[in-house]
Amino acid sequence: MSFNTALTRKLGIAVPIIQGGMQLVAYAELASAVSNAGGLGILSALTQSTPDDLRKEIRKCQSMTNKPFGVNLTLLPSLNPPDYAAYARVITEEGVKIVETAGHNPGPIIAQLKKANIIILHKCTTIRQAKSAIKLGVDFLSIDGFECAGHVGEHDLTNFILLGRARQELKVPFIASGGFAEGRGLAAALALGAEGINMGTRFLCTVEAPIHQKIKEAIVHAQETDTTLVMRRWRNTSRYFANTVTEAVLRIEKESSSGEFSEVAPFVNGQRGRQVFLDGDINHGVWMVGQAVGLIQDIPTCEELVRRVEQESLLTIEGIHKLYHDRPLQTRL
């Protein structure tokens, strides 16, 4: 048995698994390892300080794999936004064929990338967002359930419902994202109509992930209840690993009378999160993980992980099929 989905065919990958484009984590070492294992590795564009730095990282990744890989470009609200068009131009000039987009007002960037015939995967947390993205000409939709790490949206829709609604409503193929870490999850996503899955937290806890070993060990020992949602007060709800910093943020959200985001800004500062990954102190800042932390029991290589998920999913599908081996399926419908 082998996979043959719209995702594997269009992207030229062997296994319908995409590595999340995680900020401060999705460097060439991780992306190339996932691609070499048969999935789709993703670089994080905005982890690179400048478009020229992204160019160097793309070239580094190209030197480490001859398999397809992509770049994540997330558009976030900011008083001083990055030069997104310059990042997109570098992606185009360096011959990247796949881009994962996310965030606010992606239309101009998607149009710029589509002119270069780049395949676009766009992340959404609601069906309404997905329908808007379809109008922009995206090739795949990444449907993010409430279980995911990072920005979960404001509607608390879990994947079991969200993927079912995507199957009912969407005319563009979609990928399941949020809560996936095992082969059984991949089999379930395919059963719900997805063409593959996106795994972020699971790839965070691999040998090649460029973060401190203590953080990986914290993930292994964590349970599914060890995440928390912060910044809901400002409609920027995000899921992080539960620690002393998220406790402080939640306390401000609950008790502050001013309602000013500036009160929590020092706690959710990206530099503090970067130091967590560099130094291994889980309480130094906020860092994104999904509820899938409860499923993670070890720290494999990307090759070992992709093979495991692939084989487990195929065995799961085969096992379900055997439940109905007595007579052909069509005679029972």
Side-chain angles (χ1 to χ4, degrees), residues 62-109:
Q62 289 168 336
S63 75
M64 300 174 76
T65 183
N66 59 4
K67 302 290 182 64
F69 68 90
V71 175
N72 170 281
L73 185 55
T74 299
L75 292 83
L76 297 174
S78 172
L79 294 176
N80 297 295
D83 188 345
Y84 293 116
Y87 279 95
R89 186 166 58 252
V90 165
I91 291 168
T92 300
E93 291 171 353
E94 293 304 314
V96 174
K97 301 301 183 184
I98 304 162
V99 171
E100 178 186 66
T101 55
H104 298 269
N105 191 28
I109 291 299

Side-chain angles (χ1 to χ4, degrees), residues 216-229:
K216 299 177 187 181
E217 292 170 359
I219 292 172
V220 168
H221 293 114
Q223 299 183 32
E224 61 276 12
T225 51
D226 290 331
T227 73
T228 191
L229 299 172

Side-chain angles (χ1 to χ4, degrees), residues 278-296:
L278 292 175
D279 300 336
D281 180 357
I282 65 171
N283 289 304
H284 185 77
V286 295
W287 48 290
M288 296 178 177
V289 293
Q291 291 179 325
V293 291
L295 299 172
I296 298 171

Side-chain angles (χ1 to χ4, degrees), residues 36 118 225 315:
N36 286 332
I118 289 173
T225 51
L315 288 172

Side-chain angles (χ1 to χ4, degrees), residues 124-135 138 141 143 170:
C124 304
T125 58
T126 67
I127 300 303
R128 189 173 76 171
Q129 290 175 0
K131 288 182 175 180
S132 296
I134 289 173
K135 294 177 182 177
V138 304
L141 295 154
I143 304 298
L170 304 182

Side-chain angles (χ1 to χ4, degrees), residues 6-307:
L7 192 70
T8 60
R9 293 192 299 271
K10 184 79 170 180
L11 272 54
I13 58 178
V15 188
I17 297 173
I18 297 174
Q19 164 238 315
M22 297 167 284
Q23 184 80 345
L24 308 178
V25 180
Y27 291 94
E29 290 80 2
L30 178 60
S32 63
V34 175
S35 291
N36 286 332
L40 183 77
I42 298 279
L43 298 176
S44 168
L46 299 186
T47 293
Q48 305 301 321
S49 300
T50 68
D52 193 53
D53 288 330
L54 175 60
R55 188 187 305 278
K56 294 174 184 176
E57 196 70 13
I58 291 172
R59 291 180 179 180
K60 182 177 180 180
C61 197
Q62 289 168 336
S63 75
M64 300 174 76
T65 183
N66 59 4
K67 302 290 182 64
F69 68 90
V71 175
N72 170 281
L73 185 55
T74 299
L75 292 83
L76 297 174
S78 172
L79 294 176
N80 297 295
D83 188 345
Y84 293 116
Y87 279 95
R89 186 166 58 252
V90 165
I91 291 168
T92 300
E93 291 171 353
E94 293 304 314
V96 174
K97 301 301 183 184
I98 304 162
V99 171
E100 178 186 66
T101 55
H104 298 269
N105 191 28
I109 291 299
I110 289 176
Q112 181 180 349
L113 295 169
K114 290 299 290 181
K115 286 181 181 178
N117 296 316
I118 289 173
I119 298 168
I120 305 294
L121 325 175
H122 187 71
K123 298 172 73 72
C124 304
T125 58
T126 67
I127 300 303
R128 189 173 76 171
Q129 290 175 0
K131 288 182 175 180
S132 296
I134 289 173
K135 294 177 182 177
L136 299 176
V138 304
D139 299 278
F140 290 88
L141 295 154
S142 180
I143 304 298
D144 280 26
F146 181 60
E147 306 92 330
C148 72
H151 303 288
V152 301
E154 305 303 321
H155 299 279
D156 300 0
L157 298 172
T158 63
N159 258 322
F160 207 85
I161 302 302
L162 199 54
L163 295 174
R165 290 288 294 128
R167 185 187 69 252
Q168 291 175 340
E169 294 283 339
L170 304 182
K171 306 302 182 185
V172 167
F174 60 91
I175 305 150
S177 181
F180 295 97
E182 299 179 307
R184 288 179 179 272
L186 172 55
L190 296 174
L192 287 167
E195 300 292 337
I197 59 172
N198 182 304
M199 298 196 305
T201 302
R202 176 64 271 201
F203 279 118
L204 190 64
C205 196
T206 56
V207 170
E208 293 89 350
I211 64 173
H212 200 284
Q213 183 70 13
K214 288 183 179 179
I215 302 304
K216 299 177 187 181
E217 292 170 359
I219 292 172
V220 168
H221 293 114
Q223 299 183 32
E224 61 276 12
T225 51
D226 290 331
T227 73
T228 191
L229 299 172
V230 301
M231 296 190 288
R232 174 146 284 179
R233 183 170 182 172
W234 299 280
R235 297 190 62 80
N236 188 27
T237 308
S238 299
R239 187 182 301 282
Y240 293 109
F241 187 86
N243 61 14
T244 57
V245 181
T246 59
E247 288 177 7
V249 173
L250 288 171
R251 189 161 51 249
I252 292 170
E253 287 193 60
K254 181 179 180 181
E255 299 175 359
S256 173
S257 59
S258 73
E260 294 293 332
F261 181 76
S262 58
E263 291 187 69
V264 299
F267 295 93
V268 297
N269 181 280
Q271 279 302 117
R272 291 183 65 166
R274 182 186 293 271
Q275 286 305 123
V276 169
F277 290 153
L278 292 175
D279 300 336
D281 180 357
I282 65 171
N283 289 304
H284 185 77
V286 295
W287 48 290
M288 296 178 177
V289 293
Q291 291 179 325
V293 291
L295 299 172
I296 298 171
Q297 307 294 325
D298 63 354
I299 309 171
T301 66
C302 290
E303 172 72 23
E304 291 167 341
L305 176 59
V306 171
R307 291 284 80 75

